[in-house]
Amino acid sequence: MKQQTNRLAGETSPYLLQHADNPVAWYPWSQEALDAAVREDKPILLSIGYSACHWCHVMAHESFEDEATAAVMNQHFINIKVDREERPDLDKIYQLAHQMIAQRGGGWPLTMFLTPGDQMPFFGGTYFPPESRHGLPGFRDLLLRVSDYFRENRDGIASQAGNVRDAFASIWEAPGGPESVLGPKPLQSARDALGEHFDPRHGGFGQAPKFPHPTSIERLLRHWRASATGADPDVQALFMATMTLRQMAEGGLYDQLGGGFFRYSVDDFWMIPHFEKMGYDNAQLLPLYARAWAATDDPLFQRVSEETADWVMRELQAPDGGYYSTLDADSEGAEGKFYVWEASQVEALLEPEEFAVLAPVYGLDRPANFEGRWHLHTHRRVPEVASELGLPEEDAWKRLESGRRKLLARRDTRVRPGRDEKILTAWNGLMIAGMAVAARILGREDFGESAARAADFVRAHLWRDGRLLATTKDGRGRYAAYLDDYAFLLEGCLELLQTRWDASVLDFATDLAEVLLVHFEDPKAGGFFFTADDHEALIERPRPLADEATPSGNGVAARALNRLGHLLAEPRYLDSAERALKSAWPALEKASWAHCTLADALEEVLAPPEIVLVRGEGRALDEWRRAASLVYAPRRLVFAIPAAEPGLPAAIAAKDPGEGLRGWICRGSTCLPPFDRLADLLAELRETPAAG
C-alpha cells in the first residue's frame, strides 16, 4: 500500500481521495494552504476537476502520480486540489479567469496559477501533457517556466491581477436594475437565435461536441405551447425540440440498454458519447421527455423518460434516499469499456430471431463505430426492420426487448464504472423536481416516492440551524450552500407538492425562500449572488445569469419565487422575482438564447402562472389532480389538498371544499368561482388555455 504523502486523506470527495496517495503534497482548499503560500512565498497551483472526468484521470496518471513531476510541484508551488462539484464557487471564479487570461473556453481539469497573498490568477490552462505535443507545452517544463516568471515579474503580475479584478467586477455586476422595463421581446429573440443555431440534419444546436442543452429545448417547447392557440402556431419550434429529443434518444448519447443519458456526443450525429453519466443531465432530461410525451403523445418520449427514471432509482439513489452524483466514463482504465460490445458476443448471447431484429436496429450489421467495437445506437427503426423481416411490428418489439434484457443482464456482470457517491444538494433539488414531474405526467407513483425520499434525506442531513449544506458523504455534511442549492431545492419542493401535498414540504419551501431573500439577494440592484452574504471571502462574489450545464440559479430562483408568491399570495416573493429579472434585463436583451431559464421566468412574470387548487377527500381528489395535470401546460401548477389539512396558509385555507370536492382556477391575483364538477373544471381549462 502506498504511503500517503498529502493532506487529502481526510476529505469526503471521491475525487480528492483519488489523489490522496499522489506524491504531490496536495492540500484541499483551506486556510492552512493559503497561509502556507504566504509564509513560503510560493505561487498556488490550483487544480480543479471531478471524479467522472476522463482527462482529469489522464493528467493524474501522467503527471500527479509521477515522482519527478511531483518533486517540481512540491518545490515551487503550494498545490491545491478542488472538486468542482463541492466548490462550484471556486470553479466559477477561476473558469472565468482562465477564459479572460487564455482567451478561450475552459474545462476540466482546470490548472490555474495564483498569487500567494490574494489568490489572483496570473496564468492557467486545462489539461497539459507530460511532454510537449499537439501544441501544448509539457507540464514539467511549464511548471519551471511559470515559477521563473513568478519570481521575475512580480510587478507585472500585480498589474495583471488588477485588470482581472476589474474585469470580474464588470462581468458580475448587475447589468440592469429597478429602472429596467420588462417586456416579451427576449422570448421571441431566444426562439429566433435557437433556430439559427439548430442543426436541421441531426438535431441539437451547433456542431460537435454536442451537448443536450435541455434548457434550450424546454424554451422551444414552451414557445410552441404559448403560440399553439393563436392564429400562427410555431410548429417549427415544436419540430426543433422534438427532433432533437428523438435524435438524442435514438443515438448513442442515450444508453440503449440501461437507460439514462451520457454527458455529450463527440460527433454531430449523437452516436459516440463521452461516457460519463451525470446526475444533473438526467435530472433535467427525464422530465423534459415526460413533458414532450404530454405535448405529442410520442411513445418514444414516454419510454425514455420512464427508463431514465428507473435507471436513476436503480443506480443513483442511495439506500437512505439521497441521489448520488455521477458514474465515471472509465472502467478498467478505459473509457466506455463497460458499454461497448463485440458483435460476435452479442450474437452468441441471443437467440437467432432476437439477433435478427437487434443487429440492424442497433447497427451491429455495420462496421464497428468505437475503437473496433460497437456502441449501440438506433441505426434503423423497428417498424422498418419488422417490415423487412416480414414480422408483425409487435413481434419485432418483443424480440428487441428480450434481447435488450439479456444484454443488460450480461453487461451487469462486468466491472462497473466508478460511482461518485457524494450527495449534492443542488443536484438533488434538480432530481427531486424531475422525478416529481415524471411521476405526475407518467402516472408512476414510485417516481414520486423516490423524490419524496430524497427530499426527506436533504431535510434530515443537509438542513442545519435554518441553513443548507452543499454536500454530504459518509455522514459528513460540508460547505455552506450556494444559490443553486436553495433555488433548485425550492423548485423541487414546488414540484413535489404537486405530486402529493405535504405541509412540511411547503414549510420547507418557505424557509428556503426566506434564506434566498435574506442572504443571497442583492438589496440594491436585485437578483442573486452565487454565494451568501456570510460566505467565505473569495476574490469575487459571482452573480451568474446564463444557463450552463445546469440552469441559471438566478432564473430558477426567479421562477420558483414567482410561483410560490402566487400560491401563497405573498408579494415579497413576487417582487423579488421581478427585481431579479430587471437586474438581468440587459443580458436577456443581448443574448436571450443563453439565458433560457431567465426567459422562462420572464414569461411567468409577464403572464402569471395558472394555479389549480383541488380540495376534498378520498381517491377522487387524486383523480381530479391527475385529470387537470395531463395536458402539457408549462405555466400551470396543480395542487390537490385534503379538505381536513390543518394549518394552511390563508390564501389556501380560504378555499373551503365543503362536503365534497371542489376545484379553483387562479390566474395571477384573480380566482374564478369554485367548480363542483370535474367536467366543468376541465372545460374551463380547455377553453381558456392561459397556461400555454
Side-chain angles (χ1 to χ4, degrees), residues 70 92 101 115 218 226 269 271 298 341 350 357 368-369 379 382 407 437 440 451 464 506 508 564 571 602 604 687:
K92 288 183 185 298
I101 293 171
T115 57
E218 178 88 10
F269 324 111
M271 182 187 293
D298 187 326
W341 296 87
L350 304 185
V357 173
N369 62 0
H379 175 64
V382 171
L407 293 184
V437 169
R440 291 199 309 274
R464 295 183 187 172
L506 179 62
F508 189 38
L564 184 63
L602 172 67
E604 297 194 10
E687 291 174 12

Side-chain angles (χ1 to χ4, degrees), residues 481-561:
Y482 312 100
L483 169 63
D484 291 359
D485 298 296
Y486 287 93
F488 296 174
L489 192 57
L490 172 56
E491 187 154 84
C493 288
L494 290 175
E495 296 294 353
L496 190 58
L497 283 167
Q498 296 176 73
T499 304
R500 66 175 194 180
W501 186 263
D502 183 335
S504 69
V505 174
L506 179 62
D507 291 341
F508 189 38
T510 57
D511 288 341
L512 296 172
E514 291 299 323
V515 176
L516 281 172
L517 268 59
V518 172
H519 292 290
F520 287 86
E521 188 175 24
D522 183 337
K524 295 180 180 179
F528 301 93
F529 294 105
F530 189 71
T531 54
D533 56 358
D534 53 359
H535 191 82
E536 171 192 357
L538 302 173
I539 63 173
E540 189 54 60
R541 194 178 177 195
R543 183 202 299 266
L545 300 176
D547 296 316
E548 299 174 348
T550 54
S552 158
N554 267 273
V556 174
R559 183 172 61 200
L561 286 167

